[in-house]
Amino acid sequence: MRWLNRLGRIGLILSVLLLTGCLQYDLDIQFDSQTHGQFVQQIHWRGGEVANNPAWSEWVDVLRKRASSVDGSTHFLDDQTLEVVVPFNNGAELEAKFNQFFNGAKSAAPLTLPGGEPVVAHLSLRQGNWFGVISNHADLRFDLTAVPDLAETGVPLLQSQQLLTGRVTVTAPWVRSPTGDLSTTRTWNLVPGELNGLAADFWVPSPIGMGAAAIALLVLIGYALKYWLSTG
């Protein structure tokens, strides 16, 4: 009986692969400064055209509506790749728009793959001001436990495929690596069938903080000149 259940599950996975294909999902959270950034999602279908395929229109329409609800936009880079761009003006807006896009407003259903597998994602962001530089600590969670890991089926045909593969990248002026070095990006691979937890520390310039520091410096220089002139 157990082998029949396993055979049925493998058959279901094969049917999903044939009907919906495999997805390559890449997310890049781009934080340029205190007042500007965007998160960019590229969804690439391997194995067939999507832009002109009526069978995919409903799912693409869901993505468009979710993007529009957070002031984002969607467009096809080619017949197999859809790009979703959502801008934000600060850290609080990034957190709110990211979580609304994936989880929906209030009691709306979370985002699902074309085969119906839910993808639950959440972002939390802590920020601090360091004299003209904003420090950020981001915690991201991608719950892909509903997406089967085909490598575990033991079937060679399935092991060479995955329903979902992808990566998450954080792009900022200064991003800390696991070794403590600073660069402009850090990337994680998404693993299907698991709860993917990611954490990133990065820093962005703060025009407001820099302006306040410049004003404070000018005031100090003014006081110093006034003191020097009065005692000279």
Side-chain angles (χ1 to χ4, degrees):
M1 184 64 69
R2 183 175 298 177
W3 69 270
L4 284 176
N5 291 334
R6 184 183 180 190
L7 185 62
R9 187 167 185 268
I10 292 174
L12 178 62
I13 293 173
L14 277 171
S15 65
V16 170
L17 277 172
L18 292 173
L19 291 173
T20 65
C22 303
L23 295 180
Q24 170 73 32
Y25 171 79
D26 295 323
L27 166 68
D28 189 1
I29 300 175
Q30 303 169 359
F31 213 139
D32 306 322
S33 70
Q34 180 185 10
T35 57
H36 179 264
Q38 60 185 7
F39 60 93
V40 180
Q41 304 169 78
Q42 287 191 1
I43 305 167
H44 177 76
W45 288 264
R46 298 194 302 273
E49 294 185 0
V50 176
N52 302 314
N53 188 340
W56 290 80
S57 60
E58 183 176 350
W59 192 71
V60 171
D61 189 51
V62 169
L63 292 177
R64 286 176 172 150
K65 289 179 179 178
R66 283 181 178 260
S68 178
S69 71
V70 289
D71 303 317
S73 61
T74 61
H75 65 280
F76 277 96
L77 300 179
D78 54 46
D79 287 339
Q80 294 176 268
T81 307
L82 178 70
E83 183 173 76
V84 182
V85 180
V86 180
F88 55 87
N89 296 313
N90 51 57
E93 197 170 271
L94 163 62
E95 187 177 79
K97 287 187 173 184
F98 183 94
N99 293 329
Q100 182 179 337
F101 179 87
F102 280 96
N103 306 312
K106 298 181 180 179
S107 59
L111 184 67
T112 63
L113 298 182
E117 302 85 1
V119 176
V120 181
H122 185 268
L123 167 69
S124 62
L125 186 69
R126 298 197 307 271
Q127 294 186 299
N129 197 330
W130 288 13
F131 301 103
V133 176
I134 301 295
S135 64
N136 299 268
H137 178 81
D139 286 303
L140 295 95
R141 185 179 70 250
F142 279 86
D143 188 349
L144 302 181
T145 53
V147 182
D149 181 0
L150 304 190
E152 297 181 353
T153 62
V155 179
L157 176 62
L158 294 179
Q159 289 177 352
S160 62
Q161 303 288 334
Q162 284 290 1
L163 290 178
L164 176 69
T165 59
R167 58 192 178 188
V168 176
T169 301
V170 172
T171 302
W174 305 285
V175 184
R176 185 163 65 187
S177 70
T179 60
D181 297 327
L182 295 180
S183 65
T184 57
T185 61
R186 186 177 173 192
T187 301
W188 299 259
N189 290 323
L190 293 173
V191 182
E194 295 184 7
L195 178 62
N196 294 252
L198 321 172
D201 291 302
F202 60 96
W203 294 262
V204 296
S206 168
I208 297 174
M210 290 178 180
I215 292 172
L217 180 60
L218 288 174
V219 170
L220 288 175
I221 292 173
Y223 275 116
L225 288 173
K226 181 179 179 180
Y227 176 79
W228 179 73
L229 291 174
S230 63
T231 57

